[in-house]
């Protein structure tokens, strides 16, 4: 595709450039990589949720064929991973996560030792022969137990099993508003523990390079520079002695944006043995020992006036963060996100929130696509449905009554919302629901004795978190900026580098679209390089829908600086004034005199091979770097979702018949890519609403070790999803783009749950938890029917 003067690449659905490679099996993932003399690592993992370690006997394992070494914490003596918040002791308890457990284990699957052998089978066999002696302790398996008097203590540094306890907002007079309100809705809502479940599990290949004196680690991480920082500290190396390289990556969804202890242990083993060592997580490890997310408990009261005005919200949110605090986000990632952003798209007069992170004997919690927003949006949208029912309003009218419509809007949570299309997206979604005949389908089903419900959810998604927003969380390691470089070689080809990491978002296409437009080159002339800490000095990777807003803006800034230099050099070669030339396709020309032009290759040839022709003072080469950061409150994408769900009364089976999405992510760099992000996110949201949950037995053993047990929806369970776009550009970046990576996941659970409750309306059955299983629905409908019959009798 070639740009022209009237049509830009930004905004076009250019074909994904990475697809031919990935779809034809030419992608290169960590497990595709090999090195001469490579050894394989397998971890010995805890069989207990909570126990003192009495002893580790690896003598028999070390004598087994092919085994190179067995390392324990005492052998490697690595520094722990420590994530910090700058908060007082009453709000924050700092704990350390050892690379290998020492003294105590805190969840089933925690790594205790690493076995290194000539092949993975020998390593697996030897790992089974490592004899670990435990003194079992009572485990802590839920927030109620964690906070109860006399509960076992997971960390001595947190005697109340509370890692974070913050009250960010408390509007003066909120108790009076709640006491005097016409209607007060009370909700107790719980969400299940989930696994982000990237298609590619975690893994690393580490080897020491004598020539560069570097530990080179190929690993599938969303944050390579943070892995480098932690690895250097833990291994006792200079930061320049660690190089992180990210090959193709098969998904992350947040699970890979925190530093894994296994990738550090693999590097430590390679450093000790001076041989390449590879570790690939198997699916059982991924389900039981990888980072998890989303287990939250909300207790809320919401006040409304007689005409439906949302007056006040009082919330206590408790997040079960598992055994350890993760780097760099800490155990505050979920409660701080929920507390800071909960008012969402609604005008709200008063707000009080208490957010807590409790520690339990489960695998630790990391960010997962949307971080807390699917949960608090589920809470808010549940409240809206309850209030509408009590006030005799429709579910659309009560939302319309309270949506933010004037921008910029300073909310009760001290966040300023930039312009969005909150009301417009709801009204378009409602119009589509009517045009698709959903109410008529619902009526016809009722006449036939079937149950069909319609559910809505409205939400926003703060994207483009910069240093300003993250600093408010008071993290010691503050994410925000990103760096980029744009370079043209003497053939006119352009290479851009970015600290963001593509793991399914199509950065190779979208970042190239941005650079190609700026430089006036064909899309095929641009190549993106990511994921090598030697190529980009520092950056914060890809998470929180930040890549296009922050990373894409850094790319645009770097390309713009390169453009300025090329214009200056072009003007010099054309003997024109700098302000009298312009970039056109493939070169620079004099304004109003198109015959006076010089091509990109001619400019590049002078820059690299004929430096004597450069203007005085201009350095040789065509390479420019720049950065981008955000110091305001960021930018907000928004959407409205609607679901049409049939509940089959005989079995309780919910069936999603149709799903509508009206989204606004500002200027869509590539609309087809945005739709792919929305569809994938909605599928994950449906998974959280109806299917996926990590459950434990009474001893703390996870019950799902394979996809036979962990219910992940397939294409069979995901409906056709109809997507419509609105466009309210971001005002603080040149592209106008807002983030689009997480929105689908945020709104889908609430729309599905509201549709199920609508289908069950009048029966007395109502659900305020996820996932909702067919067993839950069947039991609730059966109980409601039984109660009704008893009352009639």
């Amino acid at each position: 595709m070639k740009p022209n003067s009237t049509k830009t690449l930004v905004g076009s659905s250019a074909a994904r450039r990475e697809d031919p490679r990935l779809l034809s099996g030419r992608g290169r993932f960590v497990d595709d990589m090999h090195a001469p003399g490579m050894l394989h690592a397998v971890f010995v993992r805890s069989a207990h949720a909570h126990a003192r370690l009495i002893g580790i006997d690896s003598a028999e394992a070390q004598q087994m064929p092919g085994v190179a070494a067995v390392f324990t914490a005492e052998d490697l003596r690595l520094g722990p991973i420590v994530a910090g918040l700058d908060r007082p002791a009453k709000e924050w308890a700092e704990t350390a996560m050892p690379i290998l457990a020492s003294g105590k284990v805190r969840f089933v699957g925690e790594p205790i030792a690493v076995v290194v052998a000539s092949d993975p089978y020998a390593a697996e066999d030897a790992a089974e022969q490592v004899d670990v002696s435990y003194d079992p302790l009572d485990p802590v398996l839920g927030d109620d137990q964690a906070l109860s008097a006399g509960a076992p203590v997971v960390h001595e540094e947190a005697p109340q099993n509370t890692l974070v306890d913050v009250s960010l907002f408390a509007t003066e007079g909120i108790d009076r508003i709640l006491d005097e309100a016409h209607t007060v809705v009370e909700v107790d809502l719980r969400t299940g523990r989930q696994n982000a479940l990237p298609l590619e599990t975690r893994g690393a290949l580490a080897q020491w390079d004598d020539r560069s004196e570097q530990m080179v680690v190929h690993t599938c991480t969303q944050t390579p520079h943070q892995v480098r920082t932690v690895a250097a500290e833990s291994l006792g190396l200079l930061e320049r002695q660690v190089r992180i390289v990210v090959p193709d990556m098969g998904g992350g969804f947040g699970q890979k944006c925190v530093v894994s202890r296994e990738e550090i242990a693999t590097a430590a083993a390679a450093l000790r043995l001076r041989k390449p060592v590879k570790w690939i997580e198997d699916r059982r490890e991924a389900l039981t020992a990888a980072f998890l997310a989303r287990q939250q408990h909300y207790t809320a009261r919401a006040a409304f006036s007689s005409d439906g005005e949302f007056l006040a919200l009082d919330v206590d949110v408790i997040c079960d963060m598992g055994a350890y605090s993760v780097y760099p986000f800490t155990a505050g990632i979920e409660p701080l996100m929920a507390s800071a952003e909960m008012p969402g798209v609604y005008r709200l007069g008063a707000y009080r929130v208490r957010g807590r992170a409790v520690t339990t004997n489960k695998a630790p919690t990391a960010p997962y696509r949307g971080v807390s927003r699917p949960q608090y949006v589920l809470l808010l949208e549940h409240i809206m449905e309850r209030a509408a029912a009590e006030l005799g309003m429709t579910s659309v009218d009560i939302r319309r009554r309270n949506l933010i419509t004037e921008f910029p809007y300073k909310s009760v949570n001290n966040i300023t919302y930039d312009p969005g299309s909150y009301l417009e997206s709801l009204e378009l979604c409602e119009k589509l629901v009517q045009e698709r005949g959903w109410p008529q389908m619902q009526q016809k089903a009722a006449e036939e004795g079937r149950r069909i419900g319609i559910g809505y959810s409205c939400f926003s998604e703060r994207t483009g978190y910069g240093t300003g927003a993250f600093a408010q969380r008071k993290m010691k390691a503050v994410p925000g900026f990103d760096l980029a470089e744009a370079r043209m070689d003497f053939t006119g080809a352009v290479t851009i580098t970015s600290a963001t990491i593509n793991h399914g978002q199509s950065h190779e296409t979208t970042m190239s679209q941005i650079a190609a437009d700026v430089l006036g080159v064909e899309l095929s002339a641009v190549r993106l390089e990511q994921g090598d800490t030697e190529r980009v000095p520092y950056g914060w990777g890809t998470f929180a829908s930040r890549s296009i807003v922050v990373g894409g803006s850094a790319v645009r800034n770097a390309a713009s600086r390169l453009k300025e230099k090329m214009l200056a050099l072009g003007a010099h070669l054309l003997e024109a004034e700098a302000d009298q030339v312009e970039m056109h396709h493939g070169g620079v020309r004099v304004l109003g005199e198109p015959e006076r032009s010089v091509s990109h290759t001619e400019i590049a040839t002078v820059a690299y091979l004929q430096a004597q022709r450069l203007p005085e003072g201009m350095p040789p080469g065509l390479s420019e770097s720049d950065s981008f950061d955000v110091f305001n409150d960021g930018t907000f994408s928004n959407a409205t979702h609607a679901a049409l769900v049939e509940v089959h009364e005989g079995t309780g089976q919910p069936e999603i018949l149709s799903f509508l999405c009206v989204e606004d992510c500002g200027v869509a760099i590539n609309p087809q890519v945005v739709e792919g992000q929305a569809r994938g996110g909605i599928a994950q949201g449906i998974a959280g609403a109806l299917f996926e949950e990590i459950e434990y037995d009474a001893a703390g053993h996870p019950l799902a070790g394979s996809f036979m047990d962990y219910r992940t929806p397939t294409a069979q369970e995901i409906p056709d999803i109809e997507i419509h776009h609105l466009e309210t550009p971001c005002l603080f970046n040149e592209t106008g783009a807002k983030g689009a990576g997480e929105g689908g996941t945020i709104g889908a659970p609430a729309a599905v749950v509201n549709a199920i409750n609508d289908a069950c309306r009048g029966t007395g059955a109502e659900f305020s938890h996820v996932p909702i299983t067919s067993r839950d629905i069947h039991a609730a409908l059966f109980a409601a029917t039984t109660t009704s019959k008893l009352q009639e009798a």
Side-chain angles (χ1 to χ4, degrees), residues 181-227:
H182 177 276
T183 297
V184 175
V185 173
E186 297 188 5
V187 173
D188 190 289
L189 184 144
R190 290 179 181 268
T191 60
R193 199 169 192 81
Q194 277 187 266
N195 189 310
L197 218 62
L199 185 63
E200 181 196 20
T201 60
R202 297 177 298 160
L205 168 59
Q207 55 188 321
W208 178 257
D209 185 331
D210 276 323
R211 186 169 184 273
S212 63
E213 295 186 333
Q214 276 186 319
M215 172 53 63
V216 181
V217 184
H218 289 79
T219 184
C220 48
T221 176
Q222 297 170 235
T223 53
H225 294 89
Q226 286 64 61
V227 174

Side-chain angles (χ1 to χ4, degrees), residues 354-410:
R354 181 183 185 187
R356 283 177 281 178
V358 299
T359 180
T360 59
N361 293 115
K362 303 172 185 173
T365 290
Y368 176 20
R369 201 174 191 173
V371 182
S372 286
R373 287 164 286 188
Q375 290 72 46
Y376 75 66
V377 167
L378 176 62
L379 173 76
L380 284 178
E381 298 303 291
H382 194 61
I383 286 171
M384 285 294 163
E385 295 288 323
R386 282 265 195 94
E390 294 197 21
L391 292 166
M393 301 176 71
T394 71
S395 60
V396 171
D397 282 343
I398 195 166
R399 290 177 171 85
R400 185 183 286 117
R401 172 75 174 81
N402 290 290
L403 285 171
I404 298 167
T405 55
E406 295 180 357
F407 300 94
Y409 179 81
K410 183 69 172 290

Side-chain angles (χ1 to χ4, degrees), residues 512-597:
S512 298
Q513 287 178 263
I514 293 170
D517 268 355
V518 172
L519 296 171
V521 299
E522 295 184 19
L523 184 61
S524 59
V526 184
R527 179 175 178 275
L528 172 68
E529 289 187 352
Q530 292 178 302
D532 187 341
T533 55
E534 290 292 277
R535 291 286 295 118
V536 183
Y538 212 85
W540 289 93
T542 288
F543 55 87
S545 302
R546 67 187 300 276
S547 291
I548 278 297
V549 182
V550 179
S553 296
V555 164
R556 195 184 190 287
N557 286 352
S560 295
R561 290 174 66 94
L562 177 59
K563 175 184 176 181
E564 289 174 11
K565 182 171 184 178
M566 293 175 67
L567 287 171
L569 180 50
H572 173 74
L573 297 176
L574 292 167
E575 299 182 346
E577 296 298 323
D579 61 356
Q580 294 300 306
V581 298
E582 64 176 352
M583 192 73 78
H584 76 119
H585 309 310
V588 174
R589 65 185 177 189
V590 177
L591 287 168
E593 298 180 59
E595 71 281 0
R596 291 180 63 191
S597 65

Side-chain angles (χ1 to χ4, degrees), residues 44-95:
V44 177
R45 296 184 180 276
S46 174
H48 291 269
H50 197 195
R52 293 188 187 88
L53 280 174
I54 304 302
I56 305 171
D57 183 355
S58 62
E60 184 175 346
Q62 299 205 42
Q63 299 304 313
M64 293 182 68
V67 173
V70 179
F71 296 117
T72 65
E74 187 175 347
D75 299 322
L76 294 178
R77 297 185 179 280
L78 300 170
I81 299 173
V82 182
L85 293 174
D86 274 328
R87 291 187 177 274
K90 66 177 182 179
E91 294 183 348
W92 162 243
E94 187 164 289
T95 56

Side-chain angles (χ1 to χ4, degrees), residues 12-49:
S12 71
S13 289
R16 283 169 41 102
R17 302 182 67 192
E18 44 276 269
D19 280 353
R21 182 180 80 252
L22 297 174
L23 295 176
S24 60
R26 291 180 287 117
R28 194 165 187 237
F29 301 85
V30 172
D31 201 23
D32 295 320
M33 307 186 74
H34 301 277
M38 185 175 74
L39 301 171
H40 297 263
V42 166
F43 286 90
V44 177
R45 296 184 180 276
S46 174
H48 291 269

